[in-house]
Amino acid sequence: MLVQVDHLMPHGFLFIFLFSSIISTNIIHACNQTDRSSLLSFILSLSSPPLNWTSLDCCHWEGISCNHDGWVTDVDLPSKGLKGGNFPLSLGNLTHLRYLNLSHNSLYGSLDQSTFFSSLNNLEILDLSYNLLSGELPDSLPSRNMIRMVDLSSNHFYGVIPSSFFQEARNLTSFSVSNNTFSGSIPSTICLHSSPLIKLLDFSLNKFSGNISPGLGQCLQLQVFHAGYNNLSGLLPEDIYNATTLEQIALPANSLYGAMSDRIVNLTILTILDLNSNGFSGMLPANIGKLSNLKLMLLYANKLEGLLPSSLMNCTKLIELSLRFNNFEGDISAINFSRFSQLSKLDLMNNNFTGMLPTSLYSCKSLKAIRLSINHLKGQIQPEILSLKYLSFLSLGFNSLTNVTGAMKILMRCESLVFLSLTSSFVGEDMPSDEGIVEFDGFQKLRLLDLSHCEFSGQIPVWLSKLKKLEFLNLFHNRITGSIPSWLGTLPRLFYLDLSFNQISGEFPKELCRLPMLASEQTAAQLDRGYLELPMFASIPLILAKDTNYNFLSYAHALQYNYLSHLAPSIFLYNNSISGSIPTEIGRLQLLHVLYLGVNNFSGSIPDQISNLKNLEILDVSVNHFSGKLPASLASLNFLKSFNVSYNNLEGPIPRSTQLQSFNASVFEGNPKLCGAPLPNECRTINGVGGDNKNHQDEDQNGHQIPWFYISVLLGFIIGFWGVFGPLMVKKTWRYACFQALGKVQDRLITVWMTRMQRRLRN
Ligand SMILES: *[C@@H]1O[C@H](CO)[C@@H](O)[C@H](O)[C@H]1NC(C)=O
Ligand SMILES: *[C@@H]1O[C@H](CO)[C@@H](O)[C@H](O)[C@H]1NC(C)=O
Ligand SMILES: *[C@@H]1O[C@H](CO)[C@@H](O)[C@H](O)[C@H]1NC(C)=O
Ligand SMILES: *[C@@H]1O[C@H](CO)[C@@H](O)[C@H](O)[C@H]1NC(C)=O
Ligand SMILES: *[C@@H]1O[C@H](CO)[C@@H](O)[C@H](O)[C@H]1NC(C)=O
Ligand SMILES: *[C@@H]1O[C@H](CO)[C@@H](O)[C@H](O)[C@H]1NC(C)=O
Ligand SMILES: *[C@@H]1O[C@H](CO)[C@@H](O)[C@H](O)[C@H]1NC(C)=O
């Protein structure tokens, strides 16, 4: 090779080539054989597909780098599908290892038993994040004064972080253990005792508890302090305000309390202040405007109160300001929002703000989401709102706004509007009629329209038929008269329709059974899965979750949704005056999860086709005039979690299935001619007259049926068990995981919110 080159290349090139080949020759023969065998035994200990580690020179192996003496310095193998349990043992022999990145693999086992940590005397960077490692931490970090960065996040580590852990780790700048199960107190004295140079500390998503002890004020370079989603309690230690290098403080979802100190304004380069879902109280510091670099101010779900300080307007770099679920008060129109030129999300939901809808908001040209619901605001929506070109989420419910017709004529020209909730605002006005709206192609991006609890009179307006993107329509609790228009069935995206608590008459239009999102899997697959700019809060009886086991009328928790697509496809017509029978075409709505037809004037029999709704979880036809038998095919609805046919004129036996018999007898009551489990009255043959005779007949029949009966029950049990409990079990695990993360926040929010909403609704 060299000889060939010698002949072909001019001398300048030859020199360069020789020079570089001398270096590479050096490396080739320098791969340290001890390190090579350590690496090989590491890889042999894994059960994953082998890496391409075949050549002699381990320094050229994938993910491996060496120093000039052939010692392995870097092992960089993130996301390589590595699986295995005792990796640390052999890697511990790589005495010159400087950089170890095994993140995003499936390594399990624990670190505490091994000598791995104590022998890596040169390790500077350790990234084991996103694995399945567990156990407690060893007594101290590897390589003491060399270590600079440690990331153990998203594993299954537990236990306390030993006080000796950071001993002599003087050059540690970044330490993350988020998303594990660590407990005990967070090592907030880290700068005092060992690592004064720390820049990033992330303890979030663990079970740390107790107070945050003073100490962080000694951190001369601390930029990021995250400890959200733990059980931390008590006050914020005063000395944290000495850490003037702080750029991010995120402590959401803990039990911290007390007032926010005025000294927080010392942290002038702070960009993120996230204290949401705690128990902070008192007023915002009057000088909060000195935090002029703040981009995110997330103080929602606390007990903060008082006026918003006027200096807040000096936080001109704010992108998101979320103060929902607090007790702030004062005239909102006194706040000049016009300086918030970067503001993208403003959430003031559930406070006690008064005054007119602030017109200065309309000059925040970056706004994408505004939520002012559950306050005491007055006034009308002004045409200037149209200058908010990116406005996609607008929620103004539970206020005392007026002129809904004017509002709709303006808002339909908001080109980006996706989410519009005016629930319990504009109360008692007329339903915005078609005049001036129906000819216009407005609301072309609207996916959610909530006009519930408005007590609007009038009919369902035709302009709704033009909302081609509409997925969610809530007209719950108005004074709507007239019938359900057949064009509703043509709305191409609609999958959630609530017309409950109105005075709607006429029949169930069979055209409604064509709703493409509920009838066609192909259409449903095109559902917009984009997230909402702000989470939506839904509670019964407004909304029902696809993934809850709660009964529509009995669960008292609202849920938080970041995606509309997570709502259960539903039709609610509860409490109207709808008559006639259920069209047999109902069987087309195969993707429907919830059908609520209770408290109407329906008559006729319950059509057999209803059993085509294989996804149905909730079926309520109570308090109607349905007659005839329950279709036997109902037994095949495997997902049914809630069922109510009470107070009709149904007759005959209740079909046998694991579901139907599992419901409380009360859901069948008020149908004197229904019989069989779970009702106490047994089924008797219709023609039987004399007691003896009948008993005899029954015995005969039973005698015949016994084998079949047992077989079908057995089969029903097996199929039913996995059909019903299988999915439930999956869902439960999933829900459990979600609730672990969200539950704490939600429970608190929802209790406050529900109480307030109930109070408002009563008034
Ligand atoms: C394995 O590595 C050698 C050299 O290191 C290379 O020549 C070979 O193509 C690699 N094989 C695969 C399958 O990547
Ligand atoms: C480890 O590798 C992942 C994936 O390439 C990377 O995102 C991460 O920053 C690396 N960790 C360190 C500490 O360099
Ligand atoms: C630790 O950091 C100091 C200064 O930042 C540096 O002089 C020293 O070499 C570092 N120690 C190691 C072992 O890297
Ligand atoms: C806003 O900042 C300016 C300049 O720093 C200052 O003069 C003014 O007083 C501040 N406004 C408020 C309300 O704090
Ligand atoms: C209702 O709003 C429209 C549009 O802003 C406006 O033209 C009309 O005057 C308003 N009506 C009343 C009664 O204020
Ligand atoms: C039906 O709605 C009316 C009017 O909203 C209400 O008075 C009545 O109590 C409701 N009935 C049921 C059973 O919910
Ligand atoms: C069934 O419907 C009746 C009438 O609407 C209602 O009173 C009852 O609470 C319902 N039962 C269940 C379990 O939902």
Side-chain angles (χ1 to χ4, degrees):
M1 179 81 177
L2 262 180
V3 179
Q4 274 179 359
V5 171
D6 200 353
H7 285 296
L8 294 174
M9 282 201 174
H11 289 286
F13 280 103
L14 179 63
F15 173 73
I16 293 169
F17 187 83
L18 279 177
F19 182 70
S20 60
S21 72
I22 285 164
I23 292 173
S24 67
T25 314
N26 252 341
I27 292 171
I28 285 172
H29 297 296
C31 167
N32 182 287
Q33 290 309 299
T34 323
D35 280 7
R36 186 176 191 272
S37 47
S38 298
L39 286 173
L40 283 176
S41 61
F42 160 62
I43 210 72
L44 283 174
S45 73
L46 304 177
S47 62
S48 41
L51 293 158
N52 184 9
W53 281 2
T54 43
S55 62
L56 200 59
D57 179 15
C58 70
C59 296
H60 280 169
W61 287 352
E62 179 184 7
I64 305 298
S65 311
C66 302
N67 63 13
H68 288 296
D69 301 326
W71 295 98
V72 172
T73 55
D74 293 25
V75 173
D76 188 11
L77 297 169
S79 308
K80 292 284 185 260
L82 307 180
K83 289 193 181 70
N86 47 357
F87 83 96
L89 298 174
S90 47
L91 285 182
N93 299 338
L94 300 173
T95 47
H96 289 71
L97 196 62
R98 200 184 52 82
Y99 178 96
L100 177 58
N101 191 343
L102 298 172
S103 66
H104 292 92
N105 284 297
S106 304
L107 303 170
Y108 53 93
S110 82
L111 302 178
D112 59 339
Q113 299 297 328
S114 69
T115 52
F116 163 66
F117 260 33
S118 50
S119 48
L120 291 171
N121 286 323
N122 290 297
L123 198 64
E124 293 174 28
I125 311 277
L126 174 64
D127 188 347
L128 302 176
S129 61
Y130 294 92
N131 277 288
L132 307 167
L133 299 166
S134 60
E136 301 196 32
L137 291 185
D139 286 341
S140 73
L141 276 166
S143 72
R144 306 281 166 100
N145 61 350
M146 296 295 278
I147 194 88
R148 288 192 282 128
M149 209 212 110
V150 174
D151 191 347
L152 304 177
S153 58
S154 296
N155 279 287
H156 303 308
F157 292 114
Y158 54 81
V160 297
I161 297 183
S163 57
S164 56
F165 192 65
F166 300 102
Q167 217 170 35
E168 293 172 47
R170 298 201 64 79
N171 282 359
L172 188 66
T173 57
S174 174
F175 182 70
S176 174
V177 291
S178 68
N179 200 12
N180 282 285
T181 322
F182 286 111
S183 55
S185 52
I186 59 169
S188 47
T189 54
I190 180 170
C191 297
L192 206 58
H193 298 312
S194 46
S195 315
L197 305 179
I198 200 92
K199 291 193 167 107
L200 179 145
L201 284 173
D202 191 346
F203 301 110
S204 46
L205 291 158
N206 278 289
K207 291 196 150 76
F208 288 110
S209 59
N211 293 358
I212 304 175
S213 338
L216 293 173
Q218 308 288 323
C219 299
L220 302 175
Q221 301 192 7
L222 188 61
Q223 294 168 354
V224 175
F225 176 45
H226 290 186
Y229 302 93
N230 280 293
N231 301 322
L232 300 173
S233 56
L235 305 168
L236 273 187
E238 246 334 85
D239 85 324
I240 197 173
Y241 307 118
N242 296 342
T244 52
T245 49
L246 267 171
E247 292 170 19
Q248 302 185 9
I249 301 181
L251 304 170
N254 280 295
S255 302
L256 300 165
Y257 56 81
M260 285 173 65
S261 165
D262 286 344
R263 293 187 60 214
I264 199 166
V265 304
N266 290 354
L267 308 179
T268 48
I269 60 171
L270 206 60
T271 58
I272 295 180
L273 178 62
D274 182 357
L275 302 178
N276 88 69
S277 308
N278 277 287
F280 289 106
S281 58
M283 318 236 289
L284 286 187
N287 287 329
I288 191 102
K290 288 198 179 154
L291 300 180
S292 58
N293 289 298
L294 220 47
K295 291 184 176 160
L296 302 186
M297 182 164 169
L298 310 179
L299 302 178
Y300 58 87
N302 278 291
K303 295 173 185 154
L304 297 165
E305 60 187 23
L307 304 177
L308 294 186
S310 59
S311 78
L312 187 63
M313 292 167 233
N314 271 358
C315 300
T316 52
K317 293 185 185 157
L318 274 177
I319 294 173
E320 183 166 357
L321 175 60
S322 182
L323 305 176
R324 68 174 180 253
F325 298 111
N326 277 293
N327 295 314
F328 289 112
E329 61 187 29
D331 185 347
I332 199 173
S333 46
I335 302 169
N336 182 0
F337 288 93
S338 61
R339 296 188 60 198
F340 295 133
S341 60
Q342 329 261 308
L343 193 65
S344 168
K345 299 181 187 186
L346 173 70
D347 194 351
L348 304 181
M349 173 187 190
N350 205 328
N351 279 285
N352 292 313
F353 289 113
T354 53
M356 307 294 273
L357 273 184
T359 46
S360 63
L361 257 189
Y362 302 148
S363 41
C364 308
K365 303 283 190 242
S366 307
L367 271 174
K368 287 184 180 165
I370 302 176
R371 176 154 54 199
L372 304 175
S373 48
I374 325 192
N375 279 291
H376 308 280
L377 307 182
K378 296 200 184 81
Q380 304 194 5
I381 288 170
Q382 304 295 329
E384 288 77 16
I385 200 171
L386 294 174
S387 58
L388 305 181
K389 291 275 176 273
Y390 306 109
L391 188 65
S392 114
F393 187 110
L394 180 63
S395 175
L396 301 174
F398 295 91
N399 282 296
S400 307
L401 308 179
T402 52
N403 193 359
V404 73
T405 301
M408 291 315 238
K409 284 184 182 167
I410 295 166
L411 292 175
M412 69 182 185
R413 301 193 339 248
C414 260
E415 283 166 13
S416 305
L417 204 59
V418 163
F419 183 108
L420 176 59
S421 172
L422 303 178
T423 177
S424 200
S425 269
F426 304 94
V427 172
E429 298 191 8
D430 286 339
M431 178 66 79
S433 67
D434 293 326
E435 198 191 334
I437 302 186
V438 76
E439 299 84 28
F440 196 87
D441 278 335
F443 285 133
Q444 284 311 295
K445 289 203 171 142
L446 201 63
R447 293 172 55 200
L448 175 143
L449 179 62
D450 190 343
L451 301 177
S452 61
H453 286 292
C454 291
E455 294 178 40
F456 289 156
S457 332
Q459 304 211 348
I460 299 175
V462 179
W463 58 266
L464 290 175
S465 67
K466 303 196 127 191
L467 310 190
K468 300 297 180 218
K469 291 270 166 67
L470 196 67
E471 296 168 17
F472 177 111
L473 176 61
N474 190 356
L475 300 176
F476 180 95
H477 207 291
N478 280 287
R479 294 178 182 158
I480 298 172
T481 51
S483 54
I484 302 173
S486 55
W487 50 254
L488 263 186
T490 67
L491 286 176
R493 300 277 155 195
L494 193 68
F495 72 85
Y496 188 106
L497 173 67
D498 192 343
L499 303 176
S500 302
F501 289 84
N502 279 290
Q503 291 142 33
I504 296 170
S505 52
E507 302 202 351
F508 188 113
K510 59 176 184 293
E511 291 83 356
L512 200 55
C513 305
R514 297 219 180 99
L515 273 171
M517 272 293 175
L518 300 179
S520 151
E521 300 223 13
Q522 271 158 327
T523 316
Q526 296 163 19
L527 181 62
D528 186 341
R529 299 187 190 276
Y531 70 94
L532 298 166
E533 292 292 342
L534 288 174
M536 149 178 177
F537 295 93
S539 90
I540 59 98
L542 306 177
I543 284 161
L544 193 109
K546 190 193 296 194
D547 26 48
T548 61
N549 295 326
Y550 292 120
N551 183 298
F552 171 60
L553 290 174
S554 71
Y555 87 85
H557 292 274
L559 294 171
Q560 179 177 326
Y561 292 91
N562 298 315
Y563 301 88
L564 271 188
S565 52
H566 288 180
L567 290 165
S570 307
I571 295 179
F572 295 96
L573 303 177
Y574 191 78
N575 197 354
N576 279 287
S577 306
I578 303 167
S579 54
S581 54
I582 302 179
T584 53
E585 287 86 348
I586 194 86
R588 293 171 153 220
L589 298 176
Q590 288 175 43
L591 302 170
L592 194 64
H593 284 239
V594 179
L595 182 59
Y596 239 90
L597 304 178
V599 192
N600 275 292
N601 292 326
F602 282 107
S603 56
S605 58
I606 296 173
D608 199 29
Q609 287 82 353
I610 215 154
S611 313
N612 288 353
L613 311 187
K614 294 291 179 226
N615 290 297
L616 211 56
E617 293 177 73
I618 298 186
L619 176 61
D620 184 315
V621 300
S622 66
V623 196
N624 277 291
H625 309 291
F626 287 111
S627 54
K629 290 186 173 175
L630 281 173
S633 57
L634 277 180
S636 68
L637 292 179
N638 288 330
F639 292 109
L640 214 52
K641 289 190 282 205
S642 169
F643 179 71
N644 199 339
V645 297
S646 61
Y647 302 99
N648 282 289
N649 301 317
L650 297 164
E651 61 183 54
I654 294 169
R656 292 215 157 252
S657 76
T658 28
Q659 280 82 18
L660 293 180
Q661 271 66 43
S662 73
F663 295 119
N664 194 301
S666 72
V667 307
F668 298 99
E669 77 185 6
N671 295 284
K673 288 185 257 171
L674 269 187
C675 63
L679 286 173
N681 49 322
E682 286 174 25
C683 291
R684 284 157 199 273
T685 45
I686 290 155
N687 295 328
V689 190
D692 284 355
N693 187 14
K694 204 167 30 186
N695 277 346
H696 184 67
Q697 265 188 341
D698 279 353
E699 267 168 28
D700 262 350
Q701 279 181 346
N702 282 350
H704 256 57
Q705 286 173 0
I706 280 169
W708 290 110
F709 173 76
Y710 279 114
I711 289 168
S712 69
V713 166
L714 200 62
L715 269 179
F717 184 75
I718 293 164
I719 296 168
F721 182 82
W722 289 111
V724 178
F725 294 96
L728 280 189
M729 263 148 41
V730 174
K731 274 181 195 164
K732 269 210 165 136
T733 341
W734 179 87
R735 279 187 59 216
Y736 182 70
C738 286
F739 272 60
Q740 282 228 303
L742 280 173
K744 224 194 312 187
V745 197
Q746 279 180 1
D747 281 357
R748 203 169 308 159
L749 300 190
I750 272 66
T751 331
V752 184
W753 180 51
M754 293 290 284
T755 336
R756 285 219 198 163
M757 222 174 64
Q758 278 160 8
R759 203 169 60 212
R760 295 274 173 101
L761 284 175
R762 245 180 276 129
N763 295 344

